[in-house]
Structure formats: C-alpha cells, structure tokens
Amino acid sequence: MSKRITVHNKKAQPIYDIVIEKSFDLLCDELKKLGIEKKRLCIVTESKVGPLYAEEIAALLQNQAKEVHIFEFPYGESNKTLNTVQNLYEFLILHKFDRKDMLLALGGGVVGDLTGFTAATYLRGIDFVQIPTSLLAQVDSSIGGKTGVDFSAYKNMVGAFHQPKLVYMNLSVLNTLSDAEYLSGFGEIIKHGCIKDADYFHTLQAQLPQVLARDLDVLEEIIATSCHIKRRVVENDAKEHGERALLNFGHTLGHAIEKLMNFELLHGECVAIGAVAAAHLAMKKNLLTTEEAGKIEAVFAGYQLPTKVPAKLSASDIVTATLNDKKMDAGVIQFILLDGIGNGVISRAVTQEDMLDAIEACR
Amino acid sequence: MSKRITVHNKKAQPIYDIVIEKSFDLLCDELKKLGIEKKRLCIVTESKVGPLYAEEIAALLQNQAKEVHIFEFPYGESNKTLNTVQNLYEFLILHKFDRKDMLLALGGGVVGDLTGFTAATYLRGIDFVQIPTSLLAQVDSSIGGKTGVDFSAYKNMVGAFHQPKLVYMNLSVLNTLSDAEYLSGFGEIIKHGCIKDADYFHTLQAQLPQVLARDLDVLEEIIATSCHIKRRVVENDAKEHGERALLNFGHTLGHAIEKLMNFELLHGECVAIGAVAAAHLAMKKNLLTTEEAGKIEAVFAGYQLPTKVPAKLSASDIVTATLNDKKMDAGVIQFILLDGIGNGVISRAVTQEDMLDAIEACR
C-alpha cells in the first residue's frame, strides 16, 4: 500500500504531492508528470547515499529525461555550506542547466536543504524534487520548503523558502540506516506527537517494539501521520509567521547543543534533549504535570534517544548559543512549550534563568 | 513636486511605494511607516556612494531606529559577488541582526542587487529598502524585486525574487554623477519607450537638450514615466514567465558584450548597443521599417550612447556568450524584438545566423 499526501498553498490550491512508496519503481512515472522529457536533471547527493542509489535512479530516468547528471559532495553537516553550493552552481553552469531544468535531492536533510537552496537561487529559482533517504528528512525536512545552508557555524543562517515540486520517499532505504541514524528520526516524530497529537504520542509509546524491528507497514503509518502533521502546520503558516514556530519544539536548546557539540550528536538526538528540557520548563510553568513531563522523557528514552544534557557543556554556554540563534524575534526569544501533551504553544516569557534551570534539571 | 507610485501584487494589493523626491528629508518619515523604531538598520553601500551620503542618512535615522550601522564594500561590478555577500552576512551576525531587522541599499544597481539578495537569503529573508543613487537604478533595477550577484563572470547567475518594502529616490544625487554614468541611465529609459510607449520615445527624442542640462523637473517626469512602465510590466508578470521578458530588450546581446568587455563599458551603454542590434534584427524580419530602426539608433546616439559593437569583439564570441546567458528557455533563446516602436515582442525564432548578421550590421 502506498500513500499520497497533497500539500496546498494558503488559497487551498495543490502545490505538490508527498508520495510514500517501498521502492523507486514509481519515481519515473511521478517525474514524467512534471515534464522531465524536456528537462536536464541533476541528482544531487552525498558520498554515503550516492553510491547506494544514485546510479540506480539515474538508470531509471536516463531515457526519460533530456539528460541526467549526478553531483556528489562529501557526507556531513560540515559540508552544508556556501562552498558546496558554489561547486554545485559551477557544475550546473558547466552542463548548461537553464531555468526549465530540475534538481533532484537524494539524501538526508543536509542534501535536501542544500539542494533546495541551490534551486532557490540558481538563475533566481529552478524546480527541485525531494527524494529523502533518512527518516528525519522523510518526516520533517523534505516537507515545507525551508531550504538553507550553515554559515560560520550557525545552522541554516542562509536560506530561502522554496517549495519542492514533489517529495518521493522509498521506505525500503530505511533498512540501510544505522540504528543511531534511524532512531534519530524519532526525535522529530515524537516531537510531532508532543506539539499536535496526544493520540499519536501514545501510539508511538505503544508501537516501540514494531519500530525497533523496523516493521515497514507500521513505519508507513507513522511516517504518513507525521507528514500530515507537518503538512497541516506549513499549509497554515508557510513562512513561519506564527504556528509553524511550533515545529521548533526542542530545537531552541537542541540547536545550541548540536552546535556546541560540533555536530557529534545527531540532529534528532539533540532535539530529544532539547524537548525533554523544554518539557521540564513547561512543568515549572505549570503547563505540564510532573507525570506528563516524565512520560515525555520516558518515550524519548524508550526510543534510545539521549535525554540528558552532555556533561561537558556548561549551561551558560548553551544559553549564550541559544541567544545567538535565529529563533529570536526583535530581541525576544521565542520558546516553544507544551500546554499538555499534544498542544504546543509559543511563549515569549521564557527567561535566561528559566533556561539555565531546565538545563541543570536535565543532567 | 514629489511623486509617489504604488506597486501592487497580482491580487492588486499594494506591496510597496516608489517615492520620488529631491532630497533625503522625507526618507525618515517613510521609514517610520515601516516601524523602524524597533529595528536595527544596516545601510549597505559602496566606496564611491558611501562617503557622499551614508553618514548623512545615518544621522537622519540615528534617533529614530533601534540601531543604525553602515556596511561599505569596494565600488564596482567585480564586487557583486557571493564573497561580498558573505562579508555582509558576517557583519549582520556580528551586530545580531534578526528577522525583524532591515537593510537599506544605498547606491546603484550593484548595491541594490547585492543587498536585495542578502536580504532574500539572510535568515531565509528579511526586509530591505532601495535608495537608488544612479539613474539606472532609479528607473530600472530598484523596482521589481529582482536581486542577485554575478558568479564565475556570469551576470546575476545567482539570485532570488525579493520585493523591497520601499523605493526612495532623491533626484538631486544625479548631479554628482559623471556624464557617462548619468547618460548610461538613458540606455534603460529609451528602452522603456522602445518596448512600451512610442509617445514616450518621441518625448525623449524632443527633450534631449533639457536632459543634457540635467533639468530636474524634466528628469522627474521622465523617471516617473519609466517607473510607471516598469511597474506595470512587473505587476503583470512578477517572476518573468511572460511579459517581463520584454524588459530584456537590448540585453541579450548587451549582456554578452558587457561580459566580453570585462565590464569596461557601462551597463546602459551595452544595452544601447544591444538595442540597436536588436532593432536591426527586427528590421530584417520586417517588424521595423528602415526609418524606425534608424530613428532608434539616432536617439541612442543623441544621448551620447554607443551604437556600434566594439571592434575588438568577434561576432561569434558574442553569440557564444549569448547562448551561455540565462535568457535561454529549454535550449531555445528568447530574443526581444520590436513590432513597431513602442511594441516589444518575445521571439523564439531568432537564429544564431540572425544574431551574427545583426552584430556585423552594427560595426
């Protein structure tokens, strides 16, 4: 059983489909709907994912598109930079890509964000398609049109909003992920339950055994549910003027920890730590009961995600890094709290002291 | 007498005003309407314009905004690069600019394009205001939201559409321009008449003496007329899917010449040469009479703009550079011709041979 979720703009017009499959077999048919017979395609990927799937996909598309090229860059967040973007611009110019041509982002969040930003800015914008291969990218970063690269160690400091023309995911690729990479995706998935859907949160709690066994049918339901939650949020608020900020639950402290740890921890792991700290903060503000905050910590821990702030990071360094992060709004920090499980809220009343306390509570 | 022209989106909602004044006196009042009391402002300028006006403007705004900073980069098209953009990102991070803060582009097209691109991509987009100080920027590049930088010697290869919040022009700055810089602006102005308004074209022909004397009242009328033409075109087609391409009249060959001459000729000068060659091509295709094509050449020449292709450039090099330019559409070149003066048309039937002939006819 495959699934299709359509993302709409604020006028309720369809803008792109999220297609959830268990192979790459239908990718070509989906791309044909976008008129690839007249287009040059560039599969953009990195050195871990590329060798696994890039040639297979290129072979599928070879006779269906005008040309198919592969651009591969070295794996890792440290390569999500303007330098890599410039290498990709060079490659596109060399192969004479014009405004009607298209990029395919094959990989995790790093590839999707970087390819999307390149597509947003090459010739003032060309089309791109997301083919997310990490669980994190499938449920989160491939949807919603946020693109960007890191700059001077600031995550996504440079970017643009640019919607993909299609998100195509092949769930069978999840079997090749390491346990840590795979489980990291649940940092964002559990977050979706926390901010928007208490039933989903409890389902995730119950389905842990099937998830650990990588049961693709259970995963398909989970991924589709997360895609629906993300879709609804970005449809309501494409450019993060309001509700979309809820998706940053766990990210304010999480990003700071990720940066201070030099990206040694995976993104979803940092989100888990940040979410547990935020839950503690919500408890202090009487928005969550002690029991609820404990349940949140237990679910992240059940998914083998860290819930403690790394001992080597000082609380004040984390808060300073947070204040330098971009989730500031005219000098005031926007912090996402939960008013009960399933109900994310935006708070502008979180002080530095609140954050310091929450961090110390998660040691 | 000042003038105000409002630019609308395709739903006919106002998005920003073009304010034409003869001093900077009202800039602060206009910016107050945009809520600058809560914002950090960064005046972005270059080393020729900055020393003339940046401190004056900073002093006007100092007590009205939260903070006012000045970022100056070296003058010239050769600095319209991602390198300069990255220096500006660093400056904004250093001064803790967030999503609610604002950039002011003070200068000609290079400053406007680069500042607009930085604003489009810093934190996925912040606000910016155009304060164009060259005639070319006043009548053309400051309006319509095209932003970008050059890459590997390709003009505007990297960019985004990002609309300013205000375009404020002080016509008195035109008195400080050299004759060549000043007259270069008429490359775009005469182009506006050619593609959209025969009466305007003939008015320009008649008003040459006042223009050469830099009569500010006559100039105000001309600038307002050009701004109206540009406004109408970009309102109809913000992202250049159709009519907006007409603004590229003279630019297809003009850009190639500009690049091959290493930017020794001014942009408006190259547009003049490109426009005369395009008029010749239109004549060959029986869209213009010999008399009309001659009149077009005579008006550009009257404004002391070059109308001959530089002797040192080979026609085949120009055509090759043109084919590498981005005004290609799925491999077919879009060439703008005139079907009578005042009536620009998009042609997809111009061959390389047509271009070679037109170039040789302009020696």
Side-chain angles (χ1 to χ4, degrees), chain A residues 10-293:
Chain A
K10 60 185 169 187
K11 285 176 284 181
Q13 295 160 330
I15 47 176
Y16 59 93
D17 283 354
I18 303 166
V19 176
I20 305 175
E21 290 288 342
K22 288 178 187 150
S23 76
F24 288 122
D25 293 350
L26 296 178
L27 175 60
C28 194
D29 287 347
E30 293 295 327
L31 290 173
K32 276 186 190 168
K33 297 181 194 168
L34 303 173
I36 57 166
E37 70 279 7
K38 289 186 182 167
K39 293 179 191 291
R40 291 178 192 83
L41 305 181
C42 182
I43 299 169
V44 180
T45 189
E46 36 79 340
S47 54
K48 275 177 72 170
V49 166
L52 297 175
Y53 312 114
E55 291 295 345
E56 172 189 350
I57 292 174
L60 282 173
L61 302 175
Q62 205 69 60
N63 297 317
Q64 309 297 330
K66 193 169 159 189
E67 292 171 22
V68 182
H69 300 276
I70 298 172
F71 176 86
E72 188 180 296
F73 64 92
Y75 171 81
E77 181 85 25
S78 62
N79 296 303
K80 191 175 135 182
T81 61
L82 284 173
N83 199 37
T84 305
V85 171
Q86 291 184 63
N87 291 339
L88 179 49
Y89 291 147
E90 297 265 15
F91 185 88
L92 298 175
I93 291 169
L94 179 72
H95 293 288
K96 299 192 183 302
F97 271 60
D98 69 32
R99 286 177 179 161
K100 296 287 172 87
D101 296 328
M102 184 184 267
L103 309 186
L104 310 182
L106 173 68
V110 167
V111 169
D113 287 1
L114 182 142
T115 307
F117 181 68
T118 308
T121 53
Y122 182 72
L123 299 174
R124 294 200 190 90
I126 65 172
D127 287 347
F128 83 114
V129 163
Q130 294 272 19
I131 309 174
T133 60
S134 72
L135 182 56
L136 206 86
Q138 290 180 347
V139 296
D140 188 55
S141 62
S142 67
I143 303 163
K146 271 195 180 179
T147 75
V149 294
D150 305 333
F151 184 77
S152 289
Y154 292 94
K155 273 201 82 164
N156 300 321
M157 202 71 188
V158 171
F161 287 96
H162 191 56
Q163 303 299 333
K165 290 291 166 187
L166 167 72
V167 181
Y168 184 101
M169 50 189 89
N170 165 8
L171 300 194
S172 72
V173 305
L174 298 176
N175 288 319
T176 65
L177 299 178
S178 71
D179 282 346
E181 286 172 313
Y182 171 67
L183 290 168
S184 162
F186 287 88
E188 299 287 1
I189 289 171
I190 298 166
K191 178 198 79 178
H192 287 143
C194 287
I195 60 169
K196 279 291 174 188
D197 189 337
D199 288 345
Y200 183 41
F201 177 84
H202 291 109
T203 302
L204 290 168
Q205 191 174 23
Q207 289 185 325
L208 179 59
Q210 294 94 316
V211 165
L212 292 180
R214 303 200 194 191
D215 177 325
L216 281 195
D217 292 322
V218 167
L219 274 171
E220 187 180 39
E221 289 299 327
I222 289 173
I223 290 168
T225 304
S226 270
C227 288
H228 269 299
I229 290 173
K230 175 105 191 211
R231 173 187 66 78
R232 280 195 295 269
V233 171
V234 300
E235 282 180 351
N236 288 337
D237 176 24
K239 293 207 169 170
E240 195 166 322
H241 298 302
E243 180 185 350
R244 186 166 180 163
L246 296 180
L247 295 169
N248 291 327
F249 178 65
H251 283 62
T252 306
L253 297 173
H255 268 164
I257 292 167
E258 192 173 3
K259 183 182 156 193
L260 293 173
M261 291 296 287
N262 275 316
F263 300 100
E264 282 164 37
L265 289 175
L266 296 172
H267 178 66
E269 294 173 338
C270 297
V271 170
I273 300 169
V276 171
H280 193 274
L281 216 160
M283 186 183 77
K284 280 277 180 181
K285 293 197 177 285
N286 296 315
L287 294 169
L288 284 183
T289 64
T290 312
E291 190 200 343
E292 287 171 319

Side-chain angles (χ1 to χ4, degrees), chain A residues 86 89 93 96 98-100 120-124 146-147 151 154 157-159 240 324 326 329-331, chain B residues 86 89 93 96 98-100 120-121 123-124 146-147 151 154 157-159 240 324 326 329-331:
Chain A
Q86 291 184 63
Y89 291 147
I93 291 169
K96 299 192 183 302
D98 69 32
R99 286 177 179 161
K100 296 287 172 87
T121 53
Y122 182 72
L123 299 174
R124 294 200 190 90
K146 271 195 180 179
T147 75
F151 184 77
Y154 292 94
M157 202 71 188
V158 171
E240 195 166 322
N324 284 329
K326 65 187 181 303
D329 179 358
Chain B
Q86 291 184 65
Y89 290 147
I93 291 170
K96 299 192 184 299
D98 68 33
R99 287 178 178 159
K100 297 285 173 85
T121 53
L123 299 176
R124 296 203 188 89
K146 270 194 181 179
T147 75
F151 184 77
Y154 292 93
M157 201 72 188
V158 172
E240 196 167 321
N324 285 329
K326 67 187 179 301
D329 180 357

Side-chain angles (χ1 to χ4, degrees), chain B residues 158-169:
Chain B
V158 172
F161 287 96
H162 191 58
Q163 303 299 333
K165 290 290 167 189
L166 167 72
V167 181
Y168 184 100
M169 51 189 88

